[in-house]
Amino acid sequence: PRQTSPARVECFVHSEMYYVEVLLEAPTGHVLDCKVAHQAEALSCPELTEVLQKGDFVEFTKHLEGLSAIYQINADKKNKTKAYLALHALEIDLSSLAELQNHQINDINNLVHKSPVGILEPRKGGHPMRLTYFVPPYDLIDVASKSCLPLNVEVILEKKLGTSATVCIESSSSHRLQHESLINTLKTPEGKNLPQFSALTNLNSTQLPACFVLRLQTPLVTSIDILRKIRADTSIEFNYELIHKRESLIHLIAKQMLEMHLPNLN
């Protein structure tokens, strides 16, 4: 702790790659602000401030674990810094896509299920960016009130409805990853704004022992044929043991739905 004035005390949580700064009111200990610094100036983080004001240290620990997870790649400090910049650049581009689609897609069903990124929830402290790409009809059933919830962005985010994936980076073989935005907005003669993507070059990207990943909220039931198509398009290998453990697709879907929703019906 460091007392910067008779009325204020600063506390720090340090790691090799980032630090969290907590500003306290003296002598009450009331949390005034919480900031996170990666490679630049510390920026206020309202989510962490709120968590500490509530005294929810379990949630605070989850945020710290999430911040540390950004740097869990097999590399030196310099390349770990580049990995953070790569993830940050990707988040900027995904946010740009979300902003473009939100101005052009008015139907909420199309926004969730047929847009480039679905419903985007920005990074909040140590919690990664989240993309909700599917909301099944039964998620909208409110058993307690015996009514249906409206399908809108606010309800989806507040109730954490649907199926989502978080945007992360993790250690892997070498890949070329962006370290700056690759999206420019192109205005068409009809007045629409469309994204234009730049190719990866030595100026806007870096070779890193890492890759971007979409981490699913829950395991996704899929078919072996779809896995093979994903492998053909991306060159990403999958665990061949899955083929020997395969089950009927209908059986897997029914099993997953029961596990997810049966507790809510009892």
Side-chain angles (χ1 to χ4, degrees):
R2 181 179 68 184
Q3 188 154 1
T4 56
S5 72
R8 295 190 174 187
V9 175
E10 289 179 343
C11 296
F12 295 87
V13 178
H14 282 274
S15 81
E16 180 188 26
M17 302 305 303
Y18 73 92
Y19 70 84
V20 176
E21 176 185 348
V22 183
L23 183 61
L24 304 172
E25 183 182 55
T28 64
H30 176 70
V31 176
L32 300 173
D33 193 13
C34 186
K35 300 180 180 181
V36 178
H38 290 274
Q39 282 75 44
E41 180 183 356
L43 299 176
S44 291
C45 181
E47 293 80 18
L48 280 175
T49 302
E50 182 180 356
V51 164
L52 288 176
Q53 286 175 343
K54 292 178 179 178
D56 189 347
F57 295 106
V58 172
E59 182 65 15
F60 181 65
T61 300
K62 291 179 181 178
H63 277 280
L64 295 180
E65 290 172 347
L67 292 171
S68 297
I70 298 172
Y71 300 101
Q72 297 306 306
I73 67 169
N74 187 22
D76 57 19
K77 185 175 181 179
K78 181 180 179 181
N79 280 324
K80 286 183 178 181
T81 298
K82 291 179 180 179
Y84 166 76
L85 295 175
L87 180 61
H88 183 60
L90 176 63
E91 290 175 346
I92 290 174
D93 281 349
L94 290 173
S95 296
S96 297
L97 282 175
E99 186 176 354
L100 285 173
Q101 72 183 24
N102 290 345
H103 283 98
Q104 297 179 19
I105 302 176
N106 296 321
D107 180 71
I108 182 64
N109 188 61
N110 288 337
L111 185 63
V112 176
H113 302 118
K114 297 182 180 180
S115 67
V117 297
I119 302 297
L120 183 145
E121 190 173 2
R123 169 176 288 278
K124 296 180 178 179
H127 294 327
M129 176 178 283
R130 182 177 297 276
L131 309 177
T132 300
Y133 57 88
F134 178 61
V135 179
Y138 40 75
D139 272 17
L140 299 174
I141 298 174
D142 188 334
V143 177
S145 64
K146 296 182 179 180
S147 62
C148 287
L149 299 170
L151 180 62
N152 58 52
V153 174
E154 292 74 20
V155 169
I156 291 171
L157 296 181
E158 180 185 349
K159 302 287 187 180
K160 301 187 184 301
L161 303 181
T163 305
S164 63
T166 51
V167 180
C168 307
I169 190 169
E170 65 180 32
S171 189
S172 74
S173 57
S174 183
H175 292 87
R176 181 167 289 279
L177 303 181
Q178 66 185 93
H179 55 67
E180 60 183 52
S181 174
L182 300 178
I183 292 181
N184 294 310
T185 302
L186 179 67
K187 201 172 190 69
T188 67
E190 295 79 18
K192 289 186 177 182
N193 292 323
L194 297 177
Q196 188 175 40
F197 300 91
S198 301
L200 292 174
T201 67
N202 290 333
L203 296 178
N204 61 25
S205 62
T206 308
Q207 203 76 23
L208 290 171
C211 65
F212 298 130
V213 295
L214 284 174
R215 191 160 291 141
L216 298 177
Q217 176 187 15
T218 56
L220 181 65
V221 175
T222 188
S223 69
I224 299 297
D225 285 342
I226 290 177
L227 288 178
R228 290 195 176 106
K229 289 178 181 178
I230 292 174
R231 182 185 61 184
D233 289 340
T234 65
S235 299
I236 296 174
E237 295 294 335
F238 61 87
N239 187 350
Y240 282 91
E241 291 183 5
L242 293 174
I243 296 179
H244 303 296
K245 296 179 180 178
R246 59 187 173 185
E247 298 182 48
S248 160
L249 184 61
I250 298 298
H251 176 264
L252 286 172
I253 293 173
K255 180 181 177 182
Q256 187 179 61
M257 291 302 100
L258 284 172
E259 290 174 350
M260 290 173 59
H261 298 284
L262 191 57
N264 297 329
L265 297 176
N266 288 335

